[in-house]
Amino acid sequence: MTEVLVRVGHVAAVLAVVLVAAYSGRVAARAARQPEVIGEILAGILVVPAVLAVGGTPTLAAVLPTDVVGPLKVIGQIGLVLFLVGVAHELRHGGSGLGARAVGWVTAGSFVPALLTGLVMAAWVVWLADPDLRGDAPVPALVLMIAVALSVTAVPVLARVLEDRGMVDSPAGKLAMAAAVVTDSAAWVLLVVAVGISGGLVVSLVLVALGVAVTVVGRVLLRSRVPVSAAGRFPRATGAGIAGVALLVAFQFEHWGLTAVFGSFVVGLAIPGGVWARAVRAVTSTGRLLVPVFFVVAGMGVANAPRGSVPWTAIAVAIALAVVGKVGGGYLGGRLAGQDRRTAMTVGVLVNTRGLTEIVVLQAGYSAGLLSVQLFLALVVMALATTGMTGPLLSLIERTRAPKPVPVPELPGSRS
């Protein structure tokens, strides 16, 4: 009994340290005028390398022994699942209020070129890069995984950036958010296919079909009078019920061979809007609180990278191609949608925001064995770098705005 209490206390202490580190990261990010999630991700990922730098491997083994890492992984997964329920719900119910033609061009511009640049990077990794960077994943799965990694736009982080900068109702903000919703929805489907290629594509497709069926049936049932009334009267209890169902479905799909991410999306997409939104927000808030634990687990993977083998070339290639695909593609899509150059460039910068969604995608690929440790590290750095560019680039665009014309005083007697 004493041993169990000591273990629980150890887990609770580590959890408290992680949450404090996440809070500190958010404060630092605000001070640097960056999205809070960047500080949160960095704080979580750097916990393990910081312990290694201070005390070495023996200290890390004492602070994070195996019987503590196991519960932390579960807590991190729980936080991720609950958070992604809200992301999926937002993807399903978000709207831009813009014309289909404009949204279509911007979506195509922000997605197709990014996929193509992802294929370029995949070709470099498979045929030209170091074999350690390549890893052991099947070539089709690896190629699709890298293409997905470069095509993602983080809806939650983008929404936060738009809110912080007062751009929610701007044409560029609306276009970027609409494109991000469609792009991320497609990216999650492609991620499931990539994981399925390595683990049995036919079984994965059957499970995807099952997930779609669960989503449709769930939406029909939850729209009936009794559930809607209960959701409106008891939002906290409803939120607890959603959380329980989401965890059950997510871990069941993971047990069947897909990622828990897919299960959380099934639940999030099945929940209607309206009165259900308040309950979903409670679930999402709980998940957001625990997500930093997920980043600590990801940081352990990064810390396992062999010393002296930081993939600098892969980092540079990933960042360059990611910027070309998203900023260039978003700009092109904006121009084809009839926007002026400044608005189109703003759209391109906004859709280059990756953040949390990218880290989740990369962790799923890493856990499925599709990404080597070095390639995972390179793509994580790319995600943080491209997200960190968003604020400074938007400020640069803002500063280059053409000055308003100054009215010329009318000279006396100039009128006839």
Side-chain angles (χ1 to χ4, degrees), residues 94-99 102-104 106-107 110 155 158-159 161-163 166-182 337 339 343 346-347 350-351:
S96 66
L98 299 171
V103 173
V106 173
T107 300
S110 65
V155 170
L158 177 58
V161 170
L162 294 177
E163 183 180 358
M167 298 176 62
V168 174
D169 294 323
S170 67
K174 289 183 177 180
L175 284 169
M177 179 56 73
V181 167
V182 179
Q339 303 298 311
T343 301
T346 302
V347 169
L350 288 172
V351 297

Side-chain angles (χ1 to χ4, degrees), residues 135-219:
D136 301 322
V139 172
L142 176 62
V143 169
L144 187 55
M145 181 69 229
I146 296 176
V148 170
L150 265 65
S151 66
V152 167
T153 298
V155 170
V157 181
L158 177 58
R160 195 65 177 271
V161 170
L162 294 177
E163 183 180 358
D164 290 345
R165 301 186 74 94
M167 298 176 62
V168 174
D169 294 323
S170 67
K174 289 183 177 180
L175 284 169
M177 179 56 73
V181 167
V182 179
T183 296
D184 273 16
S185 299
W188 288 117
V189 174
L190 293 178
L191 174 64
V192 171
V193 174
V195 173
I197 290 175
S198 64
L201 183 58
V202 175
V203 174
S204 296
L205 292 177
V206 171
L207 292 176
V208 169
L210 175 61
V212 172
V214 171
T215 297
V216 173
V217 172
R219 288 186 65 81

Side-chain angles (χ1 to χ4, degrees), residues 4 7 20 23 25 32-33 74 219 240 250 366 373 393 404 407 410:
V4 173
R7 185 182 306 172
V20 170
Y23 175 78
R33 301 192 66 183
V74 174
R219 288 186 65 81
Y366 177 69
V373 174
L393 289 179
K404 295 182 179 180
E410 191 173 330

Side-chain angles (χ1 to χ4, degrees), residues 147-373:
V148 170
L150 265 65
S151 66
V152 167
T153 298
V155 170
V157 181
L158 177 58
R160 195 65 177 271
V161 170
L162 294 177
E163 183 180 358
D164 290 345
R165 301 186 74 94
M167 298 176 62
V168 174
D169 294 323
S170 67
K174 289 183 177 180
L175 284 169
M177 179 56 73
V181 167
V182 179
T183 296
D184 273 16
S185 299
W188 288 117
V189 174
L190 293 178
L191 174 64
V192 171
V193 174
V195 173
I197 290 175
S198 64
L201 183 58
V202 175
V203 174
S204 296
L205 292 177
V206 171
L207 292 176
V208 169
L210 175 61
V212 172
V214 171
T215 297
V216 173
V217 172
R219 288 186 65 81
V220 172
L221 295 177
L222 293 178
R223 281 176 171 172
S224 58
R225 185 174 60 84
V226 174
V228 169
S229 176
R233 294 178 59 189
F234 310 106
R236 291 185 180 180
T238 302
I242 291 173
V245 172
L247 293 173
L248 178 63
V249 172
F251 289 125
Q252 185 59 54
F253 271 103
E254 185 175 56
H255 176 71
W256 285 335
L258 290 185
T259 65
V261 168
F262 180 74
S264 61
F265 261 66
V266 166
V267 175
L269 294 174
I271 301 172
V275 297
W276 293 90
R278 184 177 175 186
V280 173
R281 281 196 296 269
V283 174
T284 307
S285 298
T286 303
R288 187 186 295 276
L289 178 67
L290 297 177
V291 159
V293 183
F294 170 82
F295 296 141
V296 170
V297 176
M300 295 182 70
V302 173
N304 287 332
R307 292 295 163 271
S309 60
V310 177
W312 296 113
T313 302
I315 291 172
V317 169
I319 292 175
L321 291 175
V323 171
V324 169
K326 281 293 188 181
V327 177
Y331 174 81
L332 178 61
R335 294 293 287 161
L336 291 173
Q339 303 298 311
D340 60 77
R341 292 179 179 177
R342 184 172 287 104
T343 301
M345 182 56 69
T346 302
V347 169
V349 171
L350 288 172
V351 297
N352 193 43
T353 304
R354 290 176 172 85
L356 177 59
T357 303
E358 180 72 64
I359 302 296
V360 173
V361 168
L362 295 177
Q363 183 65 25
Y366 177 69
S367 299
L370 303 183
L371 299 175
S372 66
V373 174

